[in-house]
Every structure is written in structure tokens, then in C-alpha cells.
């Protein structure tokens, strides 16, 4: 079978094929269930909660609202999060975490101290803290992931937080936990060693060397408290011109290679120039960054004893460019409203995570509610933003093994990248069911595509779920849902399946293979 690379090269070499690319808009995809990339970690479908704007207060938690339960959790938001199949929740930040004293957020709510919050310019009431977060995660059936304060915090703060949450010993910390109503430890497995420590905007920002040394001491104490925890080191988030972002990762990993289990990387993209073609290549940038970071991890671990692994945690990612800027302070901040083209980029990011399933083992869309988020509330209800739908389809269906597809698609050239396939794809295979995710990045032409199963045949109807809308700028709001998932079915013929992918669409195909 031709590999993806050799097939593309052959196609490019032929002028006839090139002409066909311009006019025919046909594509071919070959599926081989034995050609696997790796196990898809369910944690790539995570989200993120930060004490920021209306994400927590006014998002998942609104004590005075008639829409909330007796603990203050918004029931409608909870249901929308449940339907999204959130596999992991990161908390409490973000930038917020770098000056957060977790001890402010425990004990009787009315006695908790309000504090000046400097990351986002507000006052933190502390009415939502460790117990509220971990109870919420438990109710939702999601894996909690706590990011410690390695900005203004100390090693002991981080260590004692692990002790408070996870220890079964009889200590001052566990007595406090019991006194606050929780007898059994929560056994929180995932812990972040600070947030975006490479950014000068971060409270307690350090150089890579200083951060690496500081984080290593915290990591030692945290793992000595609970050897079962997994630690996420703060990798790159600052890709500004002139910043040595690869150097940051290399230096930090050199310090932390014995203790970190993941390296956190963040990426936000946007369509500032209103250039759809360029915007559609956002995941190409993501692919390159993943490949580069994977190479750095390999280099750092070369010669390491045993089978030590460090994976990538893409623990903040999304489209975010409109609701930004220094004016963004106060309660209603970062309230990005999403359109169809944003949803397509989100689907492409998810394709990229699946296509790197061997190395990307965690990813958290930032965030969950109101703040650059798939769920948007007011005091009367909520609506689901365009980006909710691709994340939901992936989280519910793209599980099991990631497959490497052979894709022969017409291509385009953008300002940054040559030879970008119009069809952006990924595939997952589990228990005889294949799920294929296809984004047609063409703005106004459909692409007729023939799928060919190499080692199996299609059996039964093919489920077709499409996220599209009348226009690339279509948005949802409280009154109408213009962009959403529409399902239908298709019929395959033996090992062949033909589908026309509408312009500017994301399609998930789900079929049995025998
Ligand atoms: O998600 C919003 C902010 O983006 C986070 O607080 C920070 O980590 C990132 O810069």
C-alpha cells in the first residue's frame, strides 16, 4: 500500500493529476485497520475551568440562581457538560492558579476570605474551592486535574494540597479535610506543576532554568506524598517572535525528566486577518508543534534508563482572538462567540490530536463555560456554541486505536504552508467499528470521496453526522441554533463507500467493518 507521503509525492509529480486537483475535487481514502498510530487516550477530550469571568461563578456555579441545585451547581450547565462527555477537567487555572492559595477555598463558605485577583483583575470570593471542584468532577464522572501554584506558591503549598486530597494517613491536613466534610481521600491523579511559567504575564514567571529547578523540588515532595500521581510540567505557551520556545521545553525537561509524566503545551489560534484559507491551516501549525515537541521529548529521554515516557498534554487549546486584550478585565471577559469556521478549526485540532495519539495523551479545550467556551449561559438558560458539536462527536465516538489513513486529496497553498490537503482527516477503530472524521476545508466546493477498506468490508448502514451551516460566519445564540450536528445514513458497497463532503463542513462517519 502506498504511504501517505509517497502517494502525495507521486500525485504532485504528475501535471495531469495536478489539473484534476484543480477541477475534479475528488479524493480517495484507504483504511487499513492494522495500520495503527496508537491508543487514543480518552483524556484528549478534556476541558478546563478557571476562576475567570463567568466560567465558574455564573457558569457551572451560581448559588442564587433558580437554575442551580442546593449546592449551587447550575443544573442546565451540568447537563450540557454531561452530554459533551467531558473526560477530564483542569482547574483552577490558568493564570489564576499562579497566585491561588488553595487553603483560602476550603472550610465553611461564608468564612472564606475574598482576595484580590490579579491575573484577571477582580475579587475572588473563594466560595468555589477544592471540595466544590472535586465533588463536581465526581458528579460529572470526569477525571480531575489540579494545577498547583508554582508562581507565588511554595513547595509546601503544593505538597500539602496533594496530602489534603490524597493521603489516608492521620495528619493535620487529612484531619482538616475530614473536618471539612470529606472522610475518604479523592486520590486526584493528575497535577500540574504551575501554568505557563514561560510567559512574562504569569505571576511568578521564571527563566526555564529557575522554573525547572523549582518545579523539580515541588515534584519530589508531591510524589513522595503520593507516588501514584502523574505530574504535568509547564512547557511552552509563548510562541512570540524571538522567543526560544523549543529551548524552554528542552531546559525544563532536562531538569524534570525523572519526575514529569507530561509536558503541557498551549496553543490558541484565530482569524485576525479574516482569511478563511489561512485560518483553515491552523492545525498544520499544531501538527508541526506536536512533532517538534515529540522530538524534544525523545532527545531528552534518549538513554534514559527503563521505559520512562513523557507525553504531551495539550492542556489549553482553542480558537481565541476576538475577546482579548488589555481592556479585558472584570466579570464578562473572554466571552468569545464562535462561528462555523471556528468549529472547523476545532475539528481539525481534534484530528491532529487523534493523528498523534501515540504522544498526545491529554488535551483540554479552554475552557468549558462562557470563557472561550462551548457552553454559553445567561441567567435564564444557555446555548451551545458551534464548537460544542465537533468536540461532542469526537468525545463520544473517536475512541480506541487511531488509524493512519492514506489520503489522496486535492490540495491548496496558504501564505504559510504549501500542499495542504482540503480534506483533513483522522480515524479511530474499536470493537469492529471505524469512525472517520473529515473536515472539508474548501470554502465553496464539495469533494466527492471514495473510501476503500483494505482489509475488511463495510457492514450495515453508515452513520453520517455533519456539522455545517449556511455560511462560514454562521453563529448560534440564545434564540437559534444554526450550526449543529445533523445525522443521516449512507450505504456502502462491499469495501467501498462514496460520500460527498459539502464545502466548509465537518463530517463524522461511523461504520461497522467485518
Ligand atoms: O484560558 C485563558 C488563559 O489563557 C489562561 O488563564 C492562561 O493559562 C492562558 O494564557
Amino acid at each position: 500500500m502506498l504511504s501517505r507521503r509517497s502517494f502525495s509525492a507521486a500525485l504532485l509529480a504528475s501535471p495531469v493529476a495536478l489539473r484534476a486537483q484543480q477541477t475534479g475535487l475528488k479524493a480517495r481514502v484507504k483504511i487499513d485497520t492494522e495500520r495503527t498510530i496508537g491508543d487514543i487516550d480518552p483524556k484528549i477530550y478534556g476541558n478546563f475551568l478557571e476562576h475567570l469571568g463567568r466560567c465558574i461563578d455564573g457558569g457551572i456555579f451560581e448559588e442564587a440562581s433558580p437554575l442551580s441545585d442546593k449546592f449551587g451547581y447550575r443544573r442546565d450547565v451540568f447537563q450540557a457538560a454531561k452530554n459533551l462527555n467531558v473526560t477530564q477537567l483542569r482547574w483552577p487555572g490558568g493564570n489564576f492558579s499562579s497566585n491561588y492559595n488553595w487553603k483560602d477555598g476550603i472550610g465553611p463558605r461564608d468564612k472564606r476570605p475574598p482576595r484580590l485577583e490579579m491575573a484577571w483583575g477582580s475579587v475572588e470570593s473563594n466560595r468555589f474551592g477544592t471540595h466544590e471542584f472535586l465533588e463536581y468532577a465526581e458528579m460529572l464522572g470526569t477525571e480531575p486535574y489540579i494545577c498547583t501554584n508554582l508562581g507565588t506558591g511554595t513547595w509546601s503549598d503544593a505538597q500539602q494540597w496533594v496530602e489534603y486530597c490524597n493521603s489516608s494517613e492521620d495528619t493535620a491536613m487529612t484531619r482538616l479535610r475530614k473536618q471539612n466534610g470529606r472522610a475518604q481521600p479523592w486520590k486526584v491523579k493528575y497535577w500540574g506543576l504551575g501554568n505557563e511559567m514561560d510567559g512574562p504575564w504569569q505571576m511568578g514567571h521564571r527563566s526555564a532554568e529557575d522554573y525547572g529547578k523549582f518545579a523539580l523540588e515541588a515534584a519530589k515532595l508531591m510524589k513522595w506524598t503520593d507516588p501514584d500521581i502523574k505530574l504535568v510540567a509547564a512547557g511552552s505557551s509563548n510562541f512570540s517572535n524571538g522567543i526560544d520556545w523549543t529551548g524552554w521545553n528542552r531546559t525544563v525537561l532536562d531538569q524534570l525528566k525523572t519526575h514529569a509524566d507530561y509536558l503541557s503545551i498551549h496553543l490558541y489560534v484565530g482569524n485576525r486577518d479574516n482569511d478563511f484559507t489561512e485560518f483553515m491551516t491552523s492545525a498544520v501549525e499544531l501538527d508541526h508543534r506536536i512533532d517538534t515537541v515529540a522530538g524534544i521529548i525523545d532527545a531528552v529521554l534518549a538513554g534514559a534508563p527503563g521505559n520512562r515516557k513523557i507525553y504531551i498534554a495539550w492542556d489549553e487549546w482553542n480558537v481565541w482572538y476576538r475577546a482579548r486584550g488589555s481592556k479585558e478585565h472584570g466579570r464578562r471577559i473572554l466571552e468569545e462567540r464562535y462561528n462555523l469556521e471556528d468549529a472547523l478549526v476545532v475539528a481539525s485540532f481534534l484530528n491532529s490530536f487523534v493523528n498523534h495519539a501515540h504522544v498526545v495523551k491529554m488535551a483540554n479545550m479552554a475552557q468549558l463555560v462562557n470563557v472561550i467556551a462551548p457552553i454559553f449561559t445567561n441567567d435564564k438558560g444557555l446555548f451551545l456554541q458551534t464548537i460544542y458539536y465537533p468536540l461532542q462527536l469526537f468525545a463520544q465516538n473517536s475512541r480506541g486505536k487511531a488509524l493512519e489513513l492514506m489520503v489522496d486529496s486535492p490540495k491548496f497553498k496558504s501564505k504559510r504552508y504549501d500542499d495542504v490537503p482540503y480534506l483533513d482527516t483522522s480515524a479511530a477503530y474499536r470493537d469492529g467499528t471505524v469512525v472517520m472524521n473529515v473536515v472539508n476545508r474548501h470554502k465553496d466546493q464539495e469533494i466527492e470521496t471514495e473510501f476503500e477498506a483494505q482489509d475488511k468490508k463495510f457492514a450495515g448502514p453508515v452513520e453520517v453526522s455533519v456539522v455545517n451551516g449556511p455560511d462560514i460566519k454562521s453563529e448560534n445564540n440564545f434564540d437559534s441554533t444554526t450550526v449543529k450536528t445533523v445525522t443521516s445514513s449512507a450505504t456502502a458497497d462491499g469495501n467501498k463507500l462514496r460520500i460527498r463532503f459539502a464545502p466548509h463542513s465537518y463530517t463524522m462517519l461511523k461504520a461497522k467493518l467485518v
Side-chain angles (χ1 to χ4, degrees), residues 45-57:
Y45 307 123
N47 284 80
F48 169 36
L49 291 177
E50 179 164 6
H51 293 251
L52 194 184
R54 296 188 306 126
C55 179
I56 292 177
D57 184 11

mmCIF file with all atom_site columns, all heavy atoms in Angstrom, residues 45-57:
data_model
loop_
_atom_site.group_PDB
_atom_site.id
_atom_site.type_symbol
_atom_site.label_atom_id
_atom_site.label_alt_id
_atom_site.label_comp_id
_atom_site.label_asym_id
_atom_site.label_entity_id
_atom_site.label_seq_id
_atom_site.pdbx_PDB_ins_code
_atom_site.Cartn_x
_atom_site.Cartn_y
_atom_site.Cartn_z
_atom_site.occupancy
_atom_site.B_iso_or_equiv
_atom_site.pdbx_formal_charge
_atom_site.auth_seq_id
_atom_site.auth_comp_id
_atom_site.auth_asym_id
_atom_site.auth_atom_id
_atom_site.pdbx_PDB_model_num
ATOM 1   N N   . TYR A 1 45 ? -10.077 14.459 25.321 1.00 0.00 ? 45 TYR A N   1
ATOM 2   C CA  . TYR A 1 45 ? -11.351 15.177 25.210 1.00 0.00 ? 45 TYR A CA  1
ATOM 3   C C   . TYR A 1 45 ? -11.692 15.875 26.529 1.00 0.00 ? 45 TYR A C   1
ATOM 4   O O   . TYR A 1 45 ? -12.820 15.815 27.023 1.00 0.00 ? 45 TYR A O   1
ATOM 5   C CB  . TYR A 1 45 ? -12.462 14.216 24.781 1.00 0.00 ? 45 TYR A CB  1
ATOM 6   C CG  . TYR A 1 45 ? -12.104 13.435 23.530 1.00 0.00 ? 45 TYR A CG  1
ATOM 7   C CD1 . TYR A 1 45 ? -12.107 12.039 23.512 1.00 0.00 ? 45 TYR A CD1 1
ATOM 8   C CD2 . TYR A 1 45 ? -11.730 14.110 22.362 1.00 0.00 ? 45 TYR A CD2 1
ATOM 9   C CE1 . TYR A 1 45 ? -11.762 11.328 22.371 1.00 0.00 ? 45 TYR A CE1 1
ATOM 10  C CE2 . TYR A 1 45 ? -11.377 13.395 21.219 1.00 0.00 ? 45 TYR A CE2 1
ATOM 11  C CZ  . TYR A 1 45 ? -11.391 12.015 21.230 1.00 0.00 ? 45 TYR A CZ  1
ATOM 12  O OH  . TYR A 1 45 ? -11.041 11.315 20.095 1.00 0.00 ? 45 TYR A OH  1
ATOM 13  N N   . GLY A 1 46 ? -10.690 16.497 27.122 1.00 0.00 ? 46 GLY A N   1
ATOM 14  C CA  . GLY A 1 46 ? -10.894 17.199 28.384 1.00 0.00 ? 46 GLY A CA  1
ATOM 15  C C   . GLY A 1 46 ? -11.288 18.658 28.173 1.00 0.00 ? 46 GLY A C   1
ATOM 16  O O   . GLY A 1 46 ? -11.218 19.187 27.056 1.00 0.00 ? 46 GLY A O   1
ATOM 17  N N   . ASN A 1 47 ? -11.692 19.288 29.261 1.00 0.00 ? 47 ASN A N   1
ATOM 18  C CA  . ASN A 1 47 ? -11.978 20.739 29.259 1.00 0.00 ? 47 ASN A CA  1
ATOM 19  C C   . ASN A 1 47 ? -11.288 21.366 30.454 1.00 0.00 ? 47 ASN A C   1
ATOM 20  O O   . ASN A 1 47 ? -10.512 20.714 31.162 1.00 0.00 ? 47 ASN A O   1
ATOM 21  C CB  . ASN A 1 47 ? -13.480 21.013 29.299 1.00 0.00 ? 47 ASN A CB  1
ATOM 22  C CG  . ASN A 1 47 ? -14.140 20.785 27.968 1.00 0.00 ? 47 ASN A CG  1
ATOM 23  O OD1 . ASN A 1 47 ? -14.413 19.648 27.607 1.00 0.00 ? 47 ASN A OD1 1
ATOM 24  N ND2 . ASN A 1 47 ? -14.394 21.847 27.228 1.00 0.00 ? 47 ASN A ND2 1
ATOM 25  N N   . PHE A 1 48 ? -11.625 22.616 30.701 1.00 0.00 ? 48 PHE A N   1
ATOM 26  C CA  . PHE A 1 48 ? -10.843 23.401 31.646 1.00 0.00 ? 48 PHE A CA  1
ATOM 27  C C   . PHE A 1 48 ? -11.767 24.403 32.329 1.00 0.00 ? 48 PHE A C   1
ATOM 28  O O   . PHE A 1 48 ? -12.631 25.003 31.679 1.00 0.00 ? 48 PHE A O   1
ATOM 29  C CB  . PHE A 1 48 ? -9.736  24.077 30.815 1.00 0.00 ? 48 PHE A CB  1
ATOM 30  C CG  . PHE A 1 48 ? -8.924  25.156 31.453 1.00 0.00 ? 48 PHE A CG  1
ATOM 31  C CD1 . PHE A 1 48 ? -8.566  25.107 32.793 1.00 0.00 ? 48 PHE A CD1 1
ATOM 32  C CD2 . PHE A 1 48 ? -8.466  26.221 30.692 1.00 0.00 ? 48 PHE A CD2 1
ATOM 33  C CE1 . PHE A 1 48 ? -7.790  26.111 33.352 1.00 0.00 ? 48 PHE A CE1 1
ATOM 34  C CE2 . PHE A 1 48 ? -7.686  27.218 31.239 1.00 0.00 ? 48 PHE A CE2 1
ATOM 35  C CZ  . PHE A 1 48 ? -7.353  27.166 32.571 1.00 0.00 ? 48 PHE A CZ  1
ATOM 36  N N   . LEU A 1 49 ? -11.610 24.530 33.658 1.00 0.00 ? 49 LEU A N   1
ATOM 37  C CA  . LEU A 1 49 ? -12.378 25.508 34.449 1.00 0.00 ? 49 LEU A CA  1
ATOM 38  C C   . LEU A 1 49 ? -11.403 26.456 35.116 1.00 0.00 ? 49 LEU A C   1
ATOM 39  O O   . LEU A 1 49 ? -10.526 26.006 35.855 1.00 0.00 ? 49 LEU A O   1
ATOM 40  C CB  . LEU A 1 49 ? -13.144 24.820 35.578 1.00 0.00 ? 49 LEU A CB  1
ATOM 41  C CG  . LEU A 1 49 ? -14.312 23.902 35.272 1.00 0.00 ? 49 LEU A CG  1
ATOM 42  C CD1 . LEU A 1 49 ? -14.823 23.295 36.580 1.00 0.00 ? 49 LEU A CD1 1
ATOM 43  C CD2 . LEU A 1 49 ? -15.429 24.646 34.567 1.00 0.00 ? 49 LEU A CD2 1
ATOM 44  N N   . GLU A 1 50 ? -11.575 27.739 34.900 1.00 0.00 ? 50 GLU A N   1
ATOM 45  C CA  . GLU A 1 50 ? -10.705 28.708 35.571 1.00 0.00 ? 50 GLU A CA  1
ATOM 46  C C   . GLU A 1 50 ? -11.563 29.719 36.318 1.00 0.00 ? 50 GLU A C   1
ATOM 47  O O   . GLU A 1 50 ? -12.671 30.062 35.879 1.00 0.00 ? 50 GLU A O   1
ATOM 48  C CB  . GLU A 1 50 ? -9.819  29.432 34.535 1.00 0.00 ? 50 GLU A CB  1
ATOM 49  C CG  . GLU A 1 50 ? -8.903  30.466 35.181 1.00 0.00 ? 50 GLU A CG  1
ATOM 50  C CD  . GLU A 1 50 ? -7.755  30.934 34.288 1.00 0.00 ? 50 GLU A CD  1
ATOM 51  O OE1 . GLU A 1 50 ? -7.704  30.547 33.110 1.00 0.00 ? 50 GLU A OE1 1
ATOM 52  O OE2 . GLU A 1 50 ? -6.909  31.687 34.800 1.00 0.00 ? 50 GLU A OE2 1
ATOM 53  N N   . HIS A 1 51 ? -11.045 30.208 37.416 1.00 0.00 ? 51 HIS A N   1
ATOM 54  C CA  . HIS A 1 51 ? -11.690 31.313 38.129 1.00 0.00 ? 51 HIS A CA  1
ATOM 55  C C   . HIS A 1 51 ? -11.434 32.559 37.294 1.00 0.00 ? 51 HIS A C   1
ATOM 56  O O   . HIS A 1 51 ? -10.441 33.269 37.483 1.00 0.00 ? 51 HIS A O   1
ATOM 57  C CB  . HIS A 1 51 ? -11.096 31.465 39.528 1.00 0.00 ? 51 HIS A CB  1
ATOM 58  C CG  . HIS A 1 51 ? -11.406 30.305 40.422 1.00 0.00 ? 51 HIS A CG  1
ATOM 59  N ND1 . HIS A 1 51 ? -12.291 30.381 41.482 1.00 0.00 ? 51 HIS A ND1 1
ATOM 60  C CD2 . HIS A 1 51 ? -10.981 29.020 40.395 1.00 0.00 ? 51 HIS A CD2 1
ATOM 61  C CE1 . HIS A 1 51 ? -12.372 29.205 42.078 1.00 0.00 ? 51 HIS A CE1 1
ATOM 62  N NE2 . HIS A 1 51 ? -11.583 28.373 41.452 1.00 0.00 ? 51 HIS A NE2 1
ATOM 63  N N   . LEU A 1 52 ? -12.297 32.786 36.364 1.00 0.00 ? 52 LEU A N   1
ATOM 64  C CA  . LEU A 1 52 ? -12.078 33.827 35.357 1.00 0.00 ? 52 LEU A CA  1
ATOM 65  C C   . LEU A 1 52 ? -13.433 34.198 34.786 1.00 0.00 ? 52 LEU A C   1
ATOM 66  O O   . LEU A 1 52 ? -14.172 33.301 34.343 1.00 0.00 ? 52 LEU A O   1
ATOM 67  C CB  . LEU A 1 52 ? -11.192 33.210 34.259 1.00 0.00 ? 52 LEU A CB  1
ATOM 68  C CG  . LEU A 1 52 ? -10.478 34.044 33.206 1.00 0.00 ? 52 LEU A CG  1
ATOM 69  C CD1 . LEU A 1 52 ? -9.776  33.141 32.215 1.00 0.00 ? 52 LEU A CD1 1
ATOM 70  C CD2 . LEU A 1 52 ? -11.300 35.070 32.523 1.00 0.00 ? 52 LEU A CD2 1
ATOM 71  N N   . GLY A 1 53 ? -13.768 35.470 34.794 1.00 0.00 ? 53 GLY A N   1
ATOM 72  C CA  . GLY A 1 53 ? -15.046 35.899 34.228 1.00 0.00 ? 53 GLY A CA  1
ATOM 73  C C   . GLY A 1 53 ? -16.186 35.052 34.776 1.00 0.00 ? 53 GLY A C   1
ATOM 74  O O   . GLY A 1 53 ? -16.277 34.798 35.976 1.00 0.00 ? 53 GLY A O   1
ATOM 75  N N   . ARG A 1 54 ? -17.046 34.564 33.858 1.00 0.00 ? 54 ARG A N   1
ATOM 76  C CA  . ARG A 1 54 ? -18.213 33.781 34.288 1.00 0.00 ? 54 ARG A CA  1
ATOM 77  C C   . ARG A 1 54 ? -18.039 32.279 34.003 1.00 0.00 ? 54 ARG A C   1
ATOM 78  O O   . ARG A 1 54 ? -19.003 31.592 33.717 1.00 0.00 ? 54 ARG A O   1
ATOM 79  C CB  . ARG A 1 54 ? -19.467 34.297 33.585 1.00 0.00 ? 54 ARG A CB  1
ATOM 80  C CG  . ARG A 1 54 ? -19.838 35.739 33.944 1.00 0.00 ? 54 ARG A CG  1
ATOM 81  C CD  . ARG A 1 54 ? -21.205 36.109 33.371 1.00 0.00 ? 54 ARG A CD  1
ATOM 82  N NE  . ARG A 1 54 ? -21.297 35.867 31.952 1.00 0.00 ? 54 ARG A NE  1
ATOM 83  C CZ  . ARG A 1 54 ? -22.243 35.122 31.373 1.00 0.00 ? 54 ARG A CZ  1
ATOM 84  N NH1 . ARG A 1 54 ? -23.190 34.564 32.082 1.00 0.00 ? 54 ARG A NH1 1
ATOM 85  N NH2 . ARG A 1 54 ? -22.254 34.944 30.062 1.00 0.00 ? 54 ARG A NH2 1
ATOM 86  N N   . CYS A 1 55 ? -16.797 31.810 34.071 1.00 0.00 ? 55 CYS A N   1
ATOM 87  C CA  . CYS A 1 55 ? -16.615 30.370 33.830 1.00 0.00 ? 55 CYS A CA  1
ATOM 88  C C   . CYS A 1 55 ? -17.163 29.566 35.011 1.00 0.00 ? 55 CYS A C   1
ATOM 89  O O   . CYS A 1 55 ? -18.016 28.693 34.836 1.00 0.00 ? 55 CYS A O   1
ATOM 90  C CB  . CYS A 1 55 ? -15.143 30.046 33.604 1.00 0.00 ? 55 CYS A CB  1
ATOM 91  S SG  . CYS A 1 55 ? -14.856 28.298 33.326 1.00 0.00 ? 55 CYS A SG  1
ATOM 92  N N   . ILE A 1 56 ? -16.674 29.900 36.205 1.00 0.00 ? 56 ILE A N   1
ATOM 93  C CA  . ILE A 1 56 ? -17.168 29.180 37.387 1.00 0.00 ? 56 ILE A CA  1
ATOM 94  C C   . ILE A 1 56 ? -18.362 29.924 37.962 1.00 0.00 ? 56 ILE A C   1
ATOM 95  O O   . ILE A 1 56 ? -19.496 29.426 37.922 1.00 0.00 ? 56 ILE A O   1
ATOM 96  C CB  . ILE A 1 56 ? -16.020 28.992 38.404 1.00 0.00 ? 56 ILE A CB  1
ATOM 97  C CG1 . ILE A 1 56 ? -14.994 28.005 37.792 1.00 0.00 ? 56 ILE A CG1 1
ATOM 98  C CG2 . ILE A 1 56 ? -16.567 28.467 39.743 1.00 0.00 ? 56 ILE A CG2 1
ATOM 99  C CD1 . ILE A 1 56 ? -13.768 27.741 38.597 1.00 0.00 ? 56 ILE A CD1 1
ATOM 100 N N   . ASP A 1 57 ? -18.132 31.126 38.456 1.00 0.00 ? 57 ASP A N   1
ATOM 101 C CA  . ASP A 1 57 ? -19.220 31.898 39.063 1.00 0.00 ? 57 ASP A CA  1
ATOM 102 C C   . ASP A 1 57 ? -20.094 32.493 37.947 1.00 0.00 ? 57 ASP A C   1
ATOM 103 O O   . ASP A 1 57 ? -19.663 33.406 37.244 1.00 0.00 ? 57 ASP A O   1
ATOM 104 C CB  . ASP A 1 57 ? -18.604 33.004 39.934 1.00 0.00 ? 57 ASP A CB  1
ATOM 105 C CG  . ASP A 1 57 ? -19.653 33.784 40.681 1.00 0.00 ? 57 ASP A CG  1
ATOM 106 O OD1 . ASP A 1 57 ? -20.824 33.352 40.705 1.00 0.00 ? 57 ASP A OD1 1
ATOM 107 O OD2 . ASP A 1 57 ? -19.309 34.843 41.241 1.00 0.00 ? 57 ASP A OD2 1
#
